[in-house]
């Protein structure tokens, strides 16, 4: 069985995204996979089952560090790098010496997010725009030096690096078939919404709160599960009228996240229709459908390309009035209709190959052709 080393940009105990289910489970049916995580709290190398934990300070020189710790890099047929171009540069520099093939996984362009936030704040930002253009040019050269590119969507790859000349396999967020919940037999009263994921000024979460604030005469509640609730707590201070209707949650693993979602009726995946958010179907949508609830999404071409409005998901424009009107419809919606939409949406996603076991097979087939 061929060997693959996956160097991530995630800390130890990461249990989300494609890492744990796709690379840590299903791909191991086809390849001998070792995943490298980092830690901020230890200064020495550590094995964790088949995987490795390295100090964060060693990531930029990861090849030399792993070699020093006795990892036989020449035994790996493939090395994949997740998101970090500084690590990719190091891995590429040692490719000839060790003879491995190199792939780069781009899950989400954080540099683009930071730039979009700056432009939204300052409107004109010539020097940051110039710096971003130069940075993207350097990133492009590194990607094209790879043997395989694994963006989270074809639209993301085309939008950031048009006309790339190398084998490319989109790896979007998917669904773990082992975690799919059975159809729900009942729904809560009042209607219970859930939002999962990061929160920052660019996501304009206040727009959702403004919409909910117009519906205080109706029966509803909102659960928000986020890794860092600090920003959320700050903006909630401006909405005292919503106190008692909103709960802040944190999930330490995918199992706990699934339980949080399943306790609700509708998942919210509403974000501004900015290019940075419109390039991929939000990963949280997969969490919602796997756990048993349908999603409300921003009305964008990418979202509509994957799910049909009213049959497999719900859509609305990202503005207070449109969101409020759609929320009211969902609050009054028959529970059986919500269940039907969830089932049809789940079937559509699975039928489109968004199951991690299928994605693992596709990735394996692509790797062995390199």
């Amino acid at each position: 069985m061929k060997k693959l080393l996956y160097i991530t940009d995630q800390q130890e105990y990461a249990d989300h995204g494609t890492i744990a289910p796709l690379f840590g489970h299903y791909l191991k049916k086809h390849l001998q996979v070792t995943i490298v995580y980092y830690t901020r709290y230890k200064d020495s190398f550590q094995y964790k089952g088949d995987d490795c934990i390295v100090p964060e300070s060693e990531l930029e020189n990861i090849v030399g560090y792993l070699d020093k710790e006795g990892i036989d890099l020449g035994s790996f047929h493939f090395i994949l790098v997740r998101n970090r171009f500084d690590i990719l540069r190091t891995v590429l520099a040692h490719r000839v010496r060790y003879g491995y093939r190199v792939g780069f996984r781009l899950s989400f362009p954080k540099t683009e997010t930071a730039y979009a936030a700056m432009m939204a704040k300052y409107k004109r930002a010539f020097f940051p725009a110039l710096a971003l253009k130069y940075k993207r040019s350097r990133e492009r050269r590194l990607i094209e030096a790879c043997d395989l590119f694994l963006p989270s969507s074809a639209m993301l790859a085309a939008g950031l690096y048009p006309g790339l000349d190398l084998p490319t396999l989109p790896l979007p967020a998917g669904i773990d078939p082992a975690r799919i919940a059975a159809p729900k037999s009942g729904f809560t009263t009042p209607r219970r919404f859930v939002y999962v994921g990061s929160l920052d000024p660019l996501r304009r979460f206040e727009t959702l709160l403004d919409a909910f604030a117009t519906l205080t005469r109706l029966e509803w509640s909102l659960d928000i599960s986020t890794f860092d609730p600090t920003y959320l707590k700050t903006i909630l201070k401006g909405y005292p009228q919503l106190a008692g209707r909103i709960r802040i949650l944190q999930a330490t693993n995918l199992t706990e996240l699934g339980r949080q979602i399943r306790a609700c009726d509708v998942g919210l995946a509403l974000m501004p229709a900015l290019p940075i958010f419109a390039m991929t179907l939000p990963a949280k949508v997969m969490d919602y459908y796997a756990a048993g609830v349908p999603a409300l999404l921003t009305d964008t071409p990418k979202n509509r390309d994957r799910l049909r409005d009213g049959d497999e998901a719900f859509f609305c424009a990202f503005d207070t009035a449109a969101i409020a009107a759609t929320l009211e419809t969902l609050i009054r919606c028959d529970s059986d209709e919500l269940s039907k939409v969830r089932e049809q949406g789940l079937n559509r996603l699975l039928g489109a190959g968004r199951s991690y076991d299928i994605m693992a097979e596709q990735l394996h087939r692509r790797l062995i052709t390199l």
Side-chain angles (χ1 to χ4, degrees):
M1 184 178 287
K2 291 191 173 184
K3 296 176 64 178
L4 179 145
L5 183 69
Y6 188 34
I7 305 175
T8 77
D9 60 339
Q10 294 291 302
Q11 292 192 64
E12 182 183 8
Y13 307 117
D15 186 26
H16 52 84
T18 61
I19 297 176
L22 177 56
F23 290 94
H25 180 60
Y26 291 102
L27 191 59
K28 288 187 176 182
K29 297 180 179 180
H30 308 281
L31 298 168
Q32 186 176 336
V33 179
T34 298
I35 302 175
V36 176
Y37 297 98
Y38 77 86
T39 178
R40 293 174 176 168
Y41 309 107
K42 303 169 187 174
D43 57 7
S44 61
F45 178 86
Q46 178 186 349
Y47 277 110
K48 188 175 182 180
D50 295 329
D51 303 328
C52 303
I53 314 298
V54 304
E56 183 179 20
S57 59
E58 302 292 347
L59 285 177
E60 288 192 32
N61 185 38
I62 188 65
V63 173
Y65 181 76
L66 292 176
D67 185 64
K68 183 186 70 173
E69 294 297 331
I71 303 297
D72 182 9
L73 294 171
S75 69
F76 288 95
H77 300 84
F78 316 103
I79 294 185
L80 305 185
V81 177
R82 186 181 192 269
N83 288 334
R84 288 191 49 164
F85 287 94
D86 54 345
I87 296 176
L88 176 61
R89 184 181 295 106
T90 299
V91 169
L92 286 169
H94 292 84
R95 175 172 50 184
V96 174
R97 176 186 177 187
Y98 292 104
Y100 47 68
R101 299 290 188 178
V102 179
F104 185 64
R105 162 74 172 148
L106 183 63
S107 64
F108 192 77
K110 296 178 182 179
T111 299
E112 299 289 327
T113 305
Y115 172 70
M118 182 177 295
M119 291 298 290
K121 182 176 181 180
Y122 297 109
K123 306 303 179 185
R124 293 182 179 180
F126 175 76
F127 289 109
L130 195 62
L132 179 65
K133 183 178 180 180
Y134 174 66
K135 187 174 187 296
R136 193 182 296 167
S137 175
R138 289 185 300 163
E139 292 171 351
R140 182 189 185 95
R141 289 195 294 272
L142 288 172
I143 292 173
E144 290 191 323
C146 295
D147 300 291
L148 181 64
F149 184 37
L150 302 166
S152 54
S153 76
M155 184 179 291
L156 178 69
L160 299 182
Y161 312 103
L164 281 173
D165 185 21
L166 81 160
T168 299
L169 176 67
L171 272 187
I175 293 173
D176 184 347
R179 293 183 181 272
I180 296 176
K184 297 183 72 168
S185 58
F187 288 76
T188 59
T189 303
R191 178 95 338 132
R192 195 165 169 183
F193 297 89
V194 60
Y195 177 95
V196 169
S198 301
L199 290 169
D200 55 49
L202 195 61
R203 286 171 169 80
R204 291 166 47 194
F205 194 69
E206 296 92 333
T207 304
L208 275 71
L209 296 176
D210 290 339
F212 276 111
T214 68
L215 304 174
T216 52
R217 71 190 185 281
L218 299 177
E219 295 296 317
W220 59 266
S221 67
L222 172 61
D223 287 356
I224 305 171
S225 183
T226 181
F227 291 114
D228 183 4
T230 304
Y231 175 75
L232 174 60
K233 290 178 180 178
T234 299
I235 62 175
L236 284 178
K237 292 178 181 178
Y239 296 85
Q241 72 273 37
L242 302 184
R245 291 182 182 247
I246 295 178
R247 293 196 310 162
I248 302 175
L249 308 173
Q250 289 180 277
T252 58
N253 54 57
L254 288 172
T255 300
E256 184 178 1
L257 179 64
R259 287 196 296 266
Q260 292 175 354
I261 296 171
R262 187 159 177 78
C264 301
D265 304 317
V266 178
L268 302 178
L270 292 165
M271 292 182 287
L274 301 172
I276 191 64
F277 295 133
M279 292 178 179
T280 61
L281 186 69
K284 68 190 70 181
V285 172
M286 307 301 158
D287 296 325
Y288 295 152
Y289 281 92
V293 303
L296 170 59
L297 301 95
T298 308
D299 194 348
T300 65
K302 182 65 176 180
N303 289 341
R304 282 185 175 269
D305 181 54
R306 288 291 175 260
L307 295 163
R308 292 177 294 187
D309 187 16
D311 293 326
E312 300 162 347
F314 303 98
F315 295 85
C316 72
F318 193 84
D319 66 71
T320 299
I323 294 172
T326 307
L327 290 174
E328 182 169 355
T329 298
L330 293 174
I331 291 169
R332 301 181 186 279
C333 184
D334 181 80
S335 295
D336 290 338
E337 179 63 22
L338 293 180
S339 182
K340 180 180 177 182
V341 170
R342 180 266 177 169
E343 288 305 302
Q344 292 179 162
L346 176 63
N347 291 335
R348 174 72 180 274
L349 292 170
L350 294 176
R354 287 296 189 96
S355 176
Y356 281 130
D357 56 346
I358 293 175
M359 293 168 64
E361 292 178 7
Q362 293 172 338
L363 177 57
H364 173 245
R365 288 199 300 268
R366 195 69 188 87
L367 285 168
I368 61 176
T369 65
L370 299 179

